[in-house]
Amino acid sequence: SWGSEGAVSEGSGAAMAERKPDAEMEETLLPMQRWSERATEGREVTVLANMFAMRLGERSVYHFDVSMEMAQGPNPIVRSNTARKVMDVVGSTWFGARKVVFAYDGRSNAYAVTDCGMRRGEEARTDVVEFAAGKGVKVMLRLVNELDCAALEEFIQGSYGELRMDILNVLNIALTAELSQRYTEVKRAFFRDDPQDTKPLGSGAVAWLGFTQAVKALQGGIMLSFVPTRTEMYKPVGLVELISDVLQRPLSSLDSEALFDRDVALLKKEFLSKPLNLKKRSGLRVSTTHRESKRPYEIIDITSDRAEDIHFLSDGNREETVSSYFERMYGPLRFPHLPCVNVGNRATKERNGRPGRPARDIFLPLEVCKILPGQRRDKHPTDAMAAARLKLETIHPEQRLALIRKLFTEAAYGSNECASAFKLELSSNPLEVKGRVLDAPAVRYNRKSADPQIKPADGVWNMQGHMMYQGGQKLERWGVLVLQGAVGEREVGNFVEGLIQVCNENGLETSRALPPLRFCNYNDLDENFNNLAAQVAGESGQCQLILIVKPDLAADPYRLIKQLGDSKLGFATQVVQAKHVMKNQMQYRSNVALKLNAKLGGKNSVLADREALGPLARDGRFMVIGLAVSHGKAGVRRGGTSMTAVSGSLDPQLGQFAHEMAKQTRDTASQNSSIMALTGMVAGLLTTFKDTWTVLPENLLFYREGLTEGMYTKRDPLADGRPSTNVFDVEMKMILQACEDVQPGYRPNIAYCAVTKLHKMRFFGKDRDSLDRSGNCKAGVIVDTKVVSPRFADFYLFSHAGLQGTSRPAKYTLLHDEIGFTPQEFYKACFWQCFTFARCPRSVSIVPAIYYAELLAQRAMLLANLGFDDISDGMTSVTSGEPNAEAASSRPQDVALEKLVHSNHRRRLFCM
């Protein structure tokens, strides 16, 4: 460890990168360029990517502005499907014998490889196009720009400075213009109802199979990213059948039972979108079955009254009910006791000289309505639907690659008229990319272990023959609390005895005596928790741990338990599910012991060779700091609340971390994604480091989670006084300010790296040397050619072993480096850090500093009662349904932000 005097170890790493004077950073700070040297360490392997090489034939493309409105009728708006048909007519009839093929986005932009005899600056050409009998559309077409597609290739080669997103957009539109007519387009993804691929999800929904695509300018050239995906669609069935599925009630029960008010409220939430937007249909669309009619109707409301109770004036001012009217005109209803849907018109205002229209109600019984096909379900999925969809999308890598090939072939880009007009040629095979497999590090355990050092294979090992590197405080004062309905006393006793044995064998010294045991109801949890803590603490000390056994499906206790332990009382808590206590497996008890040791201040394992961290460790004291943001249910919307967290290492072994967190709203962040309290949070970490070692670190390595390329490449005009929206620029300046606040003149070497798994790149091993037992790329596979940026220092890294489905690599982009990493040193530093995660004996998919920050941000959201109804001791958050009144009344109140985490946890990994 570092001495209190902070002596720097002998030897120096790579030459320091040239540091930009802080005064120059007043301008927008942009990412560093890709390294000029190439990394060569590791075995070379070949992998396939979900990318298809593309070649451009046409260099010049002309951009036209398009404006359309209906020539007749009260509504001037032209729907996108109609607009595409109109543009086909324009291309076929406006320009003589030669047909002009437009790449049209369905709104206001069209592109062609000819200028159509028009000049920039001229008035728009206007005419009325008849696309159906008696229906005309007024079209205005104006040439606005000429684009040179060669700029993309020049950008890739390095001779052109900026990435031309407008040209990439043109190419995307050229490829998708025809797809939009053959597929159902949903948020730039393309789906169709294939009976072989459509799968049920429950609650009246099915999963359609489709794909997303995007043209990218990468180091290996212009390429098409192609990703299979699924979306939720409503089943095209009768409305009563759909309601039966949504309410999870048998259809036969609806023959005699009316709907409750809560049922109607649930149906309104399911079938009606809000806020209402007249430019976009907001309710579910249906057709009718009681008479022959192709007219679609939009549901604008669901009545609270039954069809037999809704009165209206029919022909001749005759008052009757909806059910009696349908019985007189079409026959008796099967479900007269069910409500009706209102498919009338909403009131509209006068617009562009066209008169508005008054509101008009049209009530239809549920049983005469049928769901129109091709309607997306855009509501939050239920837990059962989310689980069903996850199961569909969790497929073996070989199956996913085969699916990519199948969907790409069906897309038929080769026969795409628009792509042919633009002379776009696509390879028919996924791109082959060269990668390398980095060697795994040696992991060190306590020297008293039978085997104090191990070199893991494929990122996985176990604790057999190993003792924790450093045990936490001796576990003497602890208790067990069992919630009613979980397990019996005998099962709990067996589990606790086995846990005590594993803790002592693995290096966490634990009293051999069985701890006090209590059973309680959820309503009495608070009282029993406090009483048990006082009982085990006695007069000599404080409680160290409460182990809680909960029923498998109980969600409500978790928040209260963590608020009591993490916020109020300041000691560790560990929640285990009853099913694991019943199974009482050795591996599970071992994993629980690792969590307990981390929560009690111990270190489970460390890297045997700290020099692998390169100049970060060789050239002095350092901190590795992870930055993360967690959004609640409304966190991504304006005014929603998010929790930001930072986690920083305090020791050379990366086993002890300090934490800071802050709350921010979307308004506070000025609509960008910066961590606005970062100055104070980083200053807090640096102060904690100084309190620990009496000196400040010389190197700071920041890993920032969640940044996409658009967040760190913006060149903001700073002269207009608005805050910068370049997140990297904003946060780097806050980091520098934090250093100055902690100690005037303090200026460490800083490296800043963006890390994300929210990308669509997938890789598939082509030979055995690149695969693990799950069929995924093995831990250590790194890709830094062809599919990476031609400008920035980015790469893809598999640092974990595959479990289920197709593994997703982490994407690292080193944006700023004053420490002086070579590419090989930085790759190895990132990969080897992933073997130090405290929770389990396996490497993880991202560097632990970010993992810890994400866990902390999620725990903060939970403690503050801001967003998650239940979060387990894993990273996945589970959102349950609306609570009933009794459960809601028994939930704890919000906890003040400054009191979220007890001071006892400040230097412990309490959120493991």
Side-chain angles (χ1 to χ4, degrees):
S1 64
W2 297 307
S4 60
E5 73 284 356
V8 178
S9 60
E10 294 183 1
S12 61
M16 289 288 181
E18 183 178 353
R19 189 190 323 197
K20 177 181 283 193
D22 293 348
E24 293 185 22
M25 290 190 180
E26 293 179 3
E27 301 177 356
T28 300
L29 188 62
L30 296 175
M32 59 179 275
Q33 298 294 298
R34 177 170 288 280
W35 295 284
S36 58
E37 59 183 299
R38 292 281 305 277
T40 57
E41 187 174 327
R43 305 189 314 277
E44 187 176 274
V45 294
T46 301
V47 296
L48 298 176
N50 60 326
M51 309 290 288
F52 294 83
M54 176 186 293
R55 192 175 70 84
L56 305 183
E58 288 287 348
R59 297 179 65 89
S60 294
V61 173
Y62 297 88
H63 178 197
F64 297 86
D65 178 66
V66 181
S67 177
M68 295 187 192
E69 63 178 33
M70 298 299 295
Q72 303 91 19
N75 187 0
I77 298 170
V78 181
R79 297 179 63 187
S80 60
N81 288 342
T82 301
R84 294 181 192 280
K85 295 177 182 177
V86 170
M87 283 304 295
D88 285 342
V89 176
V90 169
S92 301
T93 62
W94 277 26
F95 308 106
R98 180 187 176 189
K99 179 181 179 180
V100 176
V101 178
F102 287 101
Y104 178 50
D105 66 357
R107 294 180 292 274
S108 60
N109 298 290
Y111 303 89
V113 295
T114 174
D115 61 8
C116 300
M118 304 173 71
R119 294 183 180 181
R120 292 175 60 183
E122 289 183 345
E123 292 187 5
R125 177 173 174 178
T126 305
D127 203 347
V128 174
V129 175
E130 185 173 334
F131 68 95
K135 293 184 179 181
V137 173
K138 183 180 178 181
V139 181
M140 290 166 282
L141 189 69
R142 182 169 60 92
L143 178 63
V144 294
N145 199 10
E146 180 182 356
L147 306 176
D148 184 5
C149 294
L152 277 184
E153 296 174 348
E154 292 172 2
F155 169 80
I156 294 170
Q157 296 166 2
S159 58
Y160 189 88
E162 296 294 328
L163 175 60
R164 293 289 300 274
M165 295 302 298
D166 54 346
I167 299 177
L168 289 180
N169 186 49
V170 172
L171 301 179
N172 275 308
I173 294 173
L175 288 176
T176 60
E178 188 172 303
L179 293 177
S180 300
Q181 301 177 38
R182 294 191 286 122
Y183 291 83
T184 299
E185 185 175 0
V186 178
K187 294 184 177 180
R188 299 183 182 180
F190 300 89
F191 302 90
R192 63 183 179 191
D193 186 13
D194 187 331
Q196 292 183 337
D197 296 321
T198 299
K199 305 297 181 182
L201 293 176
S203 297
V206 293
W208 281 17
L209 178 64
F211 59 89
T212 63
Q213 60 161 59
V215 179
K216 298 180 178 293
L218 302 174
Q219 188 186 78
I222 301 172
M223 300 183 190
L224 181 72
S225 169
F226 195 89
V227 184
T229 186
R230 287 188 180 271
T231 193
E232 299 162 15
M233 308 291 283
Y234 285 107
K235 292 193 295 186
V237 296
L239 188 53
V240 175
E241 182 181 342
L242 182 67
I243 287 174
S244 172
D245 286 346
V246 171
L247 299 179
Q248 297 184 0
R249 291 170 59 177
L251 191 61
S252 58
S253 71
L254 298 178
D255 278 322
S256 57
E257 298 177 6
L259 300 185
F260 297 106
D261 289 343
R262 65 173 180 269
D263 296 329
V264 176
L266 177 60
L267 295 178
K268 286 184 177 183
K269 185 177 179 181
E270 179 70 29
F271 297 152
L272 304 178
S273 299
K274 55 183 182 180
L276 301 178
N277 183 347
L278 294 180
K279 292 184 178 180
K280 182 179 180 181
R281 293 190 177 275
S282 56
L284 201 60
R285 287 173 291 142
V286 297
S287 61
T288 57
T289 60
H290 62 289
R291 61 183 181 183
E292 292 186 6
S293 174
K294 294 183 179 180
R295 177 186 172 185
Y297 293 91
E298 176 195 348
I299 299 176
I300 65 171
D301 198 8
I302 300 176
T303 65
S304 298
D305 295 328
R306 299 179 293 187
E308 59 191 9
D309 296 330
I310 299 175
H311 294 262
F312 72 104
L313 294 176
S314 62
D315 299 337
N317 289 329
R318 175 182 177 181
E319 182 177 347
E320 60 182 320
T321 65
V322 172
S323 61
S324 64
Y325 171 81
F326 271 82
E327 182 176 2
R328 178 168 60 86
M329 298 295 294
Y330 308 105
L333 295 177
R334 178 183 173 184
F335 305 100
H337 52 282
L338 295 183
C340 294
V341 291
N342 186 350
V343 295
N345 300 323
R346 300 185 184 92
T348 61
K349 297 179 180 180
E350 180 181 348
R351 181 178 180 182
N352 297 330
R354 297 171 185 258
R357 66 186 180 192
R360 180 190 178 201
D361 292 331
I362 301 177
F363 298 110
L364 292 176
L366 301 181
E367 61 194 85
V368 304
C369 298
K370 183 177 180 180
I371 306 301
L372 288 174
Q375 296 187 78
R376 179 173 177 262
R377 184 185 184 277
D378 57 359
K379 310 299 186 299
H380 190 77
T382 65
D383 290 346
M385 292 172 65
R389 180 170 172 178
L390 180 62
K391 186 176 181 179
L392 288 174
E393 294 179 344
T394 304
I395 59 177
H396 191 274
E398 288 185 1
Q399 293 175 295
R400 183 172 295 275
L401 181 59
L403 187 60
I404 289 173
R405 295 181 187 273
K406 172 180 177 290
L407 294 177
F408 184 84
T409 301
E410 292 175 354
Y413 292 104
S415 58
N416 187 317
E417 181 184 27
C418 192
S420 299
F422 281 72
K423 297 182 180 178
L424 302 181
E425 296 181 8
L426 279 169
S427 170
S428 58
N429 295 308
L431 184 73
E432 286 192 6
V433 187
K434 294 296 182 182
R436 294 185 313 283
V437 183
L438 303 180
D439 289 335
V443 177
R444 179 175 296 167
Y445 286 93
N446 193 293
R447 54 188 173 185
K448 296 180 181 179
S449 305
D451 187 3
Q453 187 165 302
I454 183 176
K455 194 163 186 177
D458 295 337
V460 181
W461 65 104
N462 58 52
M463 290 294 296
Q464 186 174 355
H466 310 301
M467 295 179 64
M468 300 161 184
Y469 180 79
Q470 179 182 309
Q473 59 181 227
K474 182 179 179 180
L475 186 55
E476 298 176 295
R477 300 178 300 278
W478 65 299
V480 180
L481 196 61
V482 183
L483 296 180
Q484 188 177 36
V487 290
E489 184 174 356
R490 178 181 177 183
E491 290 81 5
V492 175
N494 291 337
F495 178 82
V496 172
E497 285 183 358
L499 181 61
I500 292 173
Q501 179 182 352
V502 168
C503 287
N504 283 296
E505 290 176 353
N506 289 359
L508 175 59
E509 189 177 358
T510 305
S511 173
R512 297 284 181 179
L514 288 177
L517 172 66
R518 286 194 180 201
F519 289 81
C520 71
N521 297 318
Y522 174 65
N523 294 334
D524 303 324
L525 175 59
D526 194 338
E527 178 183 357
N528 279 274
F529 190 98
N530 284 283
N531 291 340
L532 181 58
Q535 177 185 348
V536 300
E539 299 180 357
S540 58
Q542 184 188 24
C543 175
Q544 297 170 284
L545 167 73
I546 297 292
L547 179 75
I548 300 95
V549 183
K550 73 164 190 171
D552 298 337
L553 299 179
D556 286 334
Y558 195 83
R559 177 185 286 117
L560 176 58
I561 292 166
K562 294 305 177 183
Q563 285 182 338
L564 291 171
D566 295 346
S567 302
K568 181 180 177 182
L569 301 176
F571 56 75
T573 56
Q574 180 63 48
V575 179
V576 295
Q577 290 187 8
K579 62 182 180 181
H580 296 303
V581 174
M582 294 293 291
K583 293 178 181 177
N584 199 14
Q585 294 179 338
M586 175 69 175
Q587 183 62 50
Y588 181 77
R589 298 199 308 270
S590 179
N591 287 342
V592 172
L594 291 175
K595 290 185 179 184
L596 296 182
N597 191 54
K599 293 178 180 183
L600 295 173
K603 303 176 185 178
N604 292 333
S605 61
V606 299
L607 296 177
D609 181 11
R610 189 162 56 90
E611 294 296 308
L613 298 179
L616 177 70
R618 288 198 303 266
D619 296 334
R621 300 170 303 276
F622 64 89
M623 286 188 80
V624 177
I625 301 175
L627 315 177
V629 181
S630 181
H631 301 295
K633 293 176 181 176
V636 294
R637 298 195 295 268
R638 185 178 180 89
T641 301
S642 302
M643 196 66 73
T644 60
V646 298
S647 182
S649 62
L650 293 176
D651 63 330
Q653 296 87 13
L654 302 179
Q656 185 181 12
F657 280 76
H659 315 284
E660 298 285 342
M661 61 187 176
K663 181 172 66 175
Q664 71 183 36
T665 64
R666 200 64 174 166
D667 291 328
T668 302
S670 302
Q671 298 305 300
N672 69 34
S673 301
S674 302
I675 299 176
M676 301 311 293
L678 188 60
T679 300
M681 297 163 78
V682 172
L685 292 182
L686 293 174
T687 300
T688 303
F689 188 97
K690 187 175 182 180
D691 292 342
T692 304
W693 298 102
T694 72
V695 289
L696 290 166
E698 293 149 331
N699 295 323
L700 300 179
L701 172 55
F702 289 87
Y703 288 102
R704 174 60 154 92
E705 173 265 345
L707 294 191
T708 58
E709 188 169 323
M711 295 180 182
Y712 53 76
T713 57
K714 294 179 180 178
R715 292 181 179 269
D716 287 318
L718 302 181
D720 61 4
R722 292 180 299 174
S724 173
T725 56
N726 184 315
V727 177
F728 162 57
D729 170 60
V730 170
E731 294 185 350
M732 271 296 297
K733 290 171 182 175
M734 286 194 282
I735 291 169
L736 293 173
Q737 184 60 52
C739 296
E740 183 67 22
D741 290 349
V742 169
Q743 181 176 298
Y746 169 57
R747 181 61 168 86
N749 301 304
I750 298 172
Y752 183 107
C753 179
V755 186
T756 183
K757 294 188 71 178
L758 299 179
H759 58 80
K760 298 187 177 182
M761 188 69 69
R762 299 292 184 275
F763 296 101
F764 308 91
K766 194 178 179 182
D767 48 56
R768 291 184 178 179
D769 289 341
S770 62
L771 299 176
D772 62 15
R773 288 181 295 180
S774 71
N776 283 289
C777 292
K778 62 171 56 178
V781 169
I782 186 168
V783 178
D784 63 349
T785 61
K786 282 191 176 182
V787 294
V788 296
S789 168
R791 296 296 177 85
F792 306 133
D794 62 343
F795 58 94
Y796 294 91
L797 173 64
F798 287 90
S799 55
H800 63 296
L803 289 173
Q804 291 182 326
T806 305
S807 296
R808 182 182 307 185
K811 181 183 180 182
Y812 293 81
T813 307
L814 185 58
L815 302 177
H816 188 78
D817 179 24
E818 299 169 353
I819 296 175
F821 285 104
T822 65
Q824 189 62 56
E825 287 172 334
F826 192 67
Y827 298 166
K828 183 182 290 187
C830 294
F831 178 45
W832 284 25
Q833 284 181 65
C834 296
F835 286 76
T836 65
F837 188 57
R839 180 182 282 177
C840 55
R842 61 188 304 133
S843 58
V844 288
S845 60
I846 51 176
V847 288
I850 281 188
Y851 213 135
Y852 298 149
E854 287 180 341
L855 288 173
L856 180 69
Q858 290 183 1
R859 179 62 58 82
M861 292 293 295
L862 179 77
L863 297 177
N865 204 12
L866 289 175
F868 299 124
D869 289 322
D870 178 46
I871 301 179
S872 67
D873 273 350
M875 281 192 66
T876 304
S877 62
V878 181
T879 304
S880 64
E882 292 295 324
N884 57 42
E886 181 181 356
S889 64
S890 64
R891 289 190 174 188
Q893 299 298 312
D894 290 356
V895 181
L897 181 63
E898 61 271 13
K899 298 179 181 179
L900 280 180
V901 178
H902 197 281
S903 59
N904 290 352
H905 293 310
R906 188 170 181 82
R907 303 185 190 187
R908 293 181 179 175
L909 296 173
F910 70 95
C911 53
M912 285 291 93

